[in-house]
Amino acid sequence: MLNFERVKIKRVDPKERIKSFDIEPVMEYSEDEGVAEASRCLGCNICTQACPASLDIGGYIKSTAVGDPAQTVRIVFENLPFPAIIGRVCTHLCEDICVLYDTGGPIAIRHLKRFAADKFDDYGKILSVPKKKFIGKKVCVVGGGPAGLTVAYYLSIQGVSVSLYEALPALGGFMKVGIPRYRLPQDVLDKEIGFITSQGVDVHLNTKVGKDITFDELMKKYDAVFIGVGNHKPRFTGTPGSNANGLYHAIDFLRRVSLGEKINVGKKVVVVGGGFTANDASRTSLRLGAEEVYIIYRRREIDRPGYPSMNADEELEETEEEGVHYMWQVTPFEYVSKDGHIVGMKYWENEMVTEGKGRAKPVPRKDKVLYMECDTIIEATGQETDWTFLGEEYMRKLRMTPQGQPIVNEKGMTSIPGLFTGGDSTNTLRDLISAVRDADKSTIGILEYLNVMDQIADERWIPVLDRWKKYSPSAGRSQ
Ligand SMILES: Cc1cc2nc3c(=O)[nH]c(=O)nc-3n(C[C@H](O)[C@H](O)[C@H](O)COP(=O)(O)OP(=O)(O)OC[C@H]3O[C@@H](n4cnc5c(N)ncnc54)[C@H](O)[C@@H]3O)c2cc1C
Ligand code: SF4
């Protein structure tokens, strides 16, 4: 008889896992569990429509079900060069539309990628990466996050010479300095980023474009440039009292911890914000020794960023399990300090008010002032791109949307010929798999711009865009 129940993904006891950054909360499927879960799939491939990078999900779930994880990794690599990373932290919107969602639960698509990819220490042994020869073109990538790394991988295996400039001392972008190590272990980052750079990428760490080297220099030296600089400029609330010690922005806080600093957060921590970054900052605080952690958000639970989705529910569940308390509909209006250090926060509770058809707005009830003691406040209130590294001339030439993001064509090229961009600095979804999608598009855009499609090493290694169209009932009718 068919088994429609999703095979449960086990988690480590929350009391145990908060003791260390080295413990992954989510455990791996056993051999039998992984194969059983993959065998539930009906192969309809509807999920591929919801995958920003258009992975062949039905294809790789099938290879997993028949016990061929190497083939699973090969299929994933058609669009994405880090299956074990994505297999842990993808927002997995594909699972939200799985036809089995209400029949035993969606296929564990994200987890099955991890299940397959973790079996291989060296992808070089299972992938037939083309034997490239230099095709006479040099491309520069600015930013070593998932967008930049994906472009670097797919171009270098085709024989393009790629130089990558990264401001930080490590590669990975927010995979390294945003997502904490308990969710994304260092050995997983090392394996997958190492495989990408081993394709011959010329990496320049600690090199901030705009400071250590000018952008103009890069534009003159290379045949094309891809920018994947993400959003690393913190947006603070500016709440009165913000200049005290013990106040951090989550982006700075998580980066410093990821790069090895042991920040003393004291006993009680308040995190301001309601998104994934707030969850990561709160759970990191627990692992740094905080005894009580609160996440305060000005809207309701149902208004939090990323909701509704399985991913948002899982993140909230894992965070609550670890003992973090959420306080909804709360606005801090003053941070209180003593001798220059945060000791508490004054706040109001909010009422949600809907005007016309608009989204309900939080309106503070100012008649009632509330106070909470705390040792640390972390603002997870968003971040933006710092474009100043381009310099005035390029800033003037680059056409931007009213929201301040560069306008790109369908292959990622900006209004400046030869200049491509993608990832968090350019898209609105701001997750890993969307950064990969932008990078896949730009890879093709760059190869076309360089006019080298007929010289590349192997056309089977060009990322596949919009694969789902192949499965759509209307596909082919207009041809
Ligand atoms: C705390 C946190 C948790 C997250 N969790 C998830 C998750 O679970 N799942 C998910 O899918 N997404 C998650 N995201 C979002 C995801 O990490 C991003 O969408 C993704 O990393 C964006 O990739 P990117 O390549 O565009 O930019 P980034 O990853 O931000 O990389 C940009 C790189 O460019 C470098 N750079 C910037 N300016 C310069 C310069 N002038 N010169 C040289 N280098 C420069 C930066 O140092 C950085 O390394 C999370 C983000 C954060 C902050
Ligand atoms: S929607 Fe679900 S059942 Fe259909 S292919 Fe995707 S994972 Fe399999």
Side-chain angles (χ1 to χ4, degrees):
M1 207 173 84
L2 280 175
N3 181 8
F4 287 114
E5 284 300 315
R6 174 171 162 129
V7 178
K8 196 169 165 19
I9 299 170
K10 298 186 192 92
R11 294 190 199 141
V12 178
D13 178 355
K15 287 198 193 75
E16 271 310 304
R17 69 190 195 223
I18 59 168
K19 289 182 187 161
S20 166
F21 282 92
D22 295 333
I23 302 175
E24 278 192 83
V26 176
M27 290 156 84
E28 189 118 296
Y29 276 149
S30 69
E31 199 55 37
D32 287 350
E33 287 172 334
V35 170
E37 176 60 11
S39 305
R40 294 172 60 229
C41 177
L42 306 176
C44 57
N45 235 347
I46 282 171
C47 43
T48 285
Q49 294 185 37
C51 173
S54 226
L55 297 189
D56 182 4
I57 299 171
Y60 71 70
I61 299 285
K62 188 171 170 194
S63 54
T64 310
V66 299
D68 190 354
Q71 179 64 2
T72 298
V73 172
R74 282 183 211 113
I75 294 173
V76 174
F77 259 83
E78 289 173 4
N79 292 75
L80 158 74
F82 27 83
I85 292 175
I86 281 283
R88 285 170 165 81
V89 300
C90 186
T91 41
H92 64 101
L93 300 176
C94 53
E95 292 182 34
D96 288 331
I97 67 157
C98 175
V99 292
L100 297 177
Y101 195 94
D102 294 318
T103 316
I107 301 294
I109 299 172
R110 170 174 71 179
H111 201 66
L112 286 171
K113 266 192 291 299
R114 165 180 168 180
F115 170 73
D118 281 0
K119 297 190 187 316
F120 304 98
D121 291 334
D122 178 5
Y123 296 139
K125 292 193 177 144
I126 53 167
L127 298 173
S128 327
V129 177
K131 292 204 175 19
K132 57 182 184 277
K133 64 176 200 306
F134 180 50
I135 56 176
K137 297 290 179 188
K138 293 183 299 180
V139 170
C140 165
V141 171
V142 184
L149 286 168
T150 302
V151 168
Y153 177 74
Y154 287 112
L155 286 181
S156 51
I157 61 173
Q158 296 291 5
V160 175
S161 161
V162 179
S163 299
L164 189 155
Y165 294 83
E166 167 55 53
L168 293 172
L171 289 177
F174 276 146
M175 302 192 294
K176 164 72 184 167
V177 296
I179 300 174
R181 288 298 66 77
Y182 61 86
R183 283 212 289 133
L184 201 45
Q186 188 60 44
D187 57 348
V188 175
L189 286 173
D190 288 345
K191 176 177 87 167
E192 301 207 319
I193 295 176
F195 182 65
I196 292 171
T197 54
S198 72
Q199 305 307 319
V201 183
D202 171 33
V203 177
H204 303 253
L205 294 176
N206 294 308
T207 311
K208 184 165 184 168
V209 176
K211 179 169 163 270
D212 302 309
I213 184 165
T214 67
F215 183 69
D216 186 48
E217 225 176 297
L218 301 179
M219 287 296 280
K220 288 187 175 133
K221 187 168 168 194
Y222 294 94
D223 300 305
V225 173
F226 176 82
I227 299 175
V229 290
N231 295 308
H232 289 254
K233 188 174 164 195
R235 241 186 251 139
F236 286 95
T237 60
T239 302
S242 286
N243 52 359
N245 290 326
L247 177 89
Y248 302 89
H249 191 281
I251 293 309
D252 296 327
F253 174 76
L254 292 168
R255 185 189 60 249
R256 286 167 59 178
V257 176
S258 282
L259 293 176
E261 203 175 321
K262 176 116 178 55
I263 295 179
N264 180 1
V265 290
K267 286 188 177 158
K268 192 163 168 183
V269 175
V270 172
V271 180
V272 183
F276 300 139
T277 304
N279 292 333
D280 282 338
S282 72
R283 296 171 71 184
T284 293
S285 301
L286 286 176
R287 285 158 177 81
L288 288 171
E291 290 169 10
E292 254 184 289
V293 181
Y294 291 81
I295 294 182
I296 63 168
Y297 183 53
R298 62 201 173 109
R299 296 174 185 272
R300 298 164 296 192
E301 183 176 344
I302 55 163
D303 301 313
R304 69 193 195 275
Y307 181 84
S309 68
M310 259 189 95
N311 191 48
D313 287 343
E314 285 163 355
E315 289 243 352
L316 184 126
E317 207 180 294
E318 282 180 31
T319 308
E320 276 188 329
E321 245 180 25
E322 292 180 2
V324 172
H325 309 279
Y326 287 91
M327 287 168 62
W328 309 106
Q329 292 173 243
V330 162
T331 298
F333 66 90
E334 188 184 333
Y335 299 148
V336 182
S337 56
K338 193 172 167 218
D339 301 329
H341 199 286
I342 293 285
V343 291
M345 168 194 80
K346 288 185 189 168
Y347 64 98
W348 294 303
E349 285 173 345
N350 300 330
E351 239 171 283
M352 297 303 290
V353 177
T354 312
E355 280 165 19
K357 285 185 186 160
R359 188 182 179 204
K361 272 204 231 146
V363 178
R365 289 207 318 256
K366 298 191 177 177
D367 52 326
K368 196 166 140 206
V369 170
L370 296 148
Y371 181 74
M372 186 194 271
E373 283 180 4
C374 60
D375 305 301
T376 297
I377 297 175
I378 303 170
E379 291 193 342
T381 43
Q383 56 273 355
E384 57 201 28
T385 306
D386 181 2
W387 289 105
T388 54
F389 73 92
L390 291 175
E392 270 176 33
E393 189 197 336
Y394 289 98
M395 287 279 274
R396 231 184 359 260
K397 283 191 199 159
L398 200 59
R399 286 188 58 214
M400 297 279 205
T401 64
Q403 291 73 37
Q405 293 178 311
I407 295 172
V408 292
N409 69 13
E410 72 285 357
K411 299 276 172 59
M413 190 157 85
T414 66
S415 51
I416 301 174
L419 179 61
F420 293 76
T421 182
D424 274 14
S425 57
T426 312
N427 70 47
T428 48
L429 284 169
R430 294 186 178 165
D431 61 2
L432 286 178
I433 196 69
S434 304
V436 169
R437 153 100 191 168
D438 289 351
D440 284 354
K441 284 196 301 188
S442 291
T443 300
I444 298 174
I446 292 169
L447 291 171
E448 286 175 356
Y449 172 78
L450 297 175
N451 204 12
V452 290
M453 277 298 192
D454 56 347
Q455 296 171 53
I456 58 173
D458 190 341
E459 63 181 19
R460 287 171 303 177
W461 277 95
I462 293 179
V464 183
L465 300 177
D466 297 328
R467 183 194 313 267
W468 62 270
K469 284 183 181 158
K470 280 206 305 200
Y471 304 100
S472 131
S474 59
R477 272 190 208 153
S478 58
Q479 288 165 10

